[in-house]
Structures are given as C-alpha cells and as structure tokens.
Amino acid sequence: MRIDKFLSNMGIASRTESSKAARQGGILVNGVAVKGADVHIDPDKDEVIFCGRKIEYRKYTYILMNKPDGVVSATEDGKDKTVIDLLPEELQKLNLFPCGRLDKHTLGLVMLTDNGDLAHRLLSPKHHVKKKYFFESKFPLTDEEIKYLEAGATLEDGYITKPAEIELCADKKSGYITLVEGKYHQIKRMLESVNNKITYLERVTFGPLVLDESLARGEWRFLTKNEIEQLETYK
Ligand code: URA
C-alpha cells in the first residue's frame, strides 16, 4: 500500500499533507525518512512514524462509546450533536457509523465502526444480538405485566415483540430488560403497552460488549482485540 494512502485511510493526513511531510523528512519507515509519499509499505509489518508519532495500522476501526443524553446516534443531523461529533477530527474523517441506534435521550453503550459487513451481520434480524438496558419506569410493574412483557407485548401498531428477559429491582420501578431485536422506540412502546412510561434508559450491553464503567458520558475508547474477536465470532 502507498504510504499516502495508508495515512489518509487512518485519518492522519491528506495526500497533499503526506507529500509535504515526506519532503520535509517527517515520515519514517522502519527508522528511515522516505523521500516521497508514493513509497509502498506493508502496513502489517513496517513501522511508520509520521511527524514523530507512531501510526498503528487498523484495517477497520471499532469504537465503544458511552453516549450522553441529547446526542443522536447518527452520522449527521441538521439540528443535534451526533455521536460522530464526539470523536476527534482524525476519526471523524473515517466513514464510521453507529452499529444500531439509541434514541436521543437513551444513554450508554454505542459501538461505532467502518466495517459494514460486520455491522450488517450484527444488525440482521436473523442474528438476535442480545442488548441489555437498565430502565426506570414511572409506575411499579406488576408480576403479570412482567410476564406479559417477557412473553411478547403487542405494540400499538399490532407488532408482537419477541421474548424478552426482565430482572426487576426491589422498587419494582427499575431493572434490566434484555431484547434480541431493536424496533423503533421498542422499550418505550413496550412500557406504553402496559400503560406505563420509561423515565430513564441506558444500554449496558450489546452482544458480547459491556459498557465500560471507566468511560464517562461522551467518552470513548477503541475496542480491544479480544472484544473484536468476540464480535466477529458472535452467534
Ligand atoms: N428502546 C427504546 O425505546 N429506546 C432505545 O433507545 C432503545 C431501545
């Protein structure tokens, strides 16, 4: 791969910036300054230093974010801040997108990637990726309501939800709900089907990924190798 392509794919520098840096001796490959940005490298083997910074190659980028309130999980929005806006400029240049949507006022785990095949597989209804949410509701939930919501609630448009799991806290107004699907406003609509209302919603898992407690709202980190492997092999 040409070094200018490598650097632009990683969001580090445009082709023009790479040419300029190469002319100024700012790009080292295995410790040696390259004369032009058209030099070919093996991204898996060669060590690249751009303006003093070691650049690790990633074929795809995978990010775990703790979404704050009021931010939309989309790539662009005319009105609101998006999850992409929370990333540094370098990552904003990549074609990252959120793998699945959370509502504007839902908090918690969002995975972003530029690996379309993987995202497509994880989001396909065939895959039943489990997603667990912590919720708070306006009114306590009864045992009958829990049974009904777990077995499959009928939403206002007639859709019957797939079986869900609910673990209720002692106050009966909060707990965890695990879904294997992701219909529009699903949990809100499920609670509405029993004349209740969601007052707080936070996603805590997505398939094998668990919300990282060390990430404050709005913070993100790259997925670990192990997390990527788990996603790739998730059944
Ligand atoms: N269900 C909802 O109602 N909202 C979300 O953001 C996710 C699941």
Side-chain angles (χ1 to χ4, degrees), residues 3 21 51 65-66 68 82 90 103 147 153 182 184 191 199 222 226:
I3 196 150
C51 297
M65 181 180 280
N66 185 352
T82 72
E90 188 174 302
D103 297 339
K147 265 192 212 140
Y184 178 70
L191 270 276
T199 54
F222 291 112
N226 185 262

Side-chain angles (χ1 to χ4, degrees), residues 79-97:
K79 206 165 87 207
D80 294 304
K81 209 177 223 189
T82 72
V83 284
I84 302 291
D85 295 328
L86 301 180
L87 297 172
E89 207 179 308
E90 188 174 302
L91 293 176
Q92 289 188 22
K93 290 185 202 152
L94 307 181
N95 291 321
L96 294 167
F97 57 89

Side-chain angles (χ1 to χ4, degrees), residues 11 35 53 82 95 117 133 149 158 179 193 203 228:
K35 293 202 171 62
R53 174 175 162 202
T82 72
N95 291 321
D117 288 344
Y133 298 80
L149 292 170
L179 304 182
S193 78
R203 183 152 71 188
I228 297 168

Side-chain angles (χ1 to χ4, degrees), residues 2 6 22 76 117 174 184 214 220:
R2 271 174 63 137
F6 166 87
E76 36 181 64
D117 288 344
S174 62
Y184 178 70
S214 69
W220 62 274

Side-chain angles (χ1 to χ4, degrees), residues 67-83:
K67 181 181 126 21
D69 189 17
V71 170
V72 294
S73 50
T75 51
E76 36 181 64
D77 191 272
K79 206 165 87 207
D80 294 304
K81 209 177 223 189
T82 72
V83 284

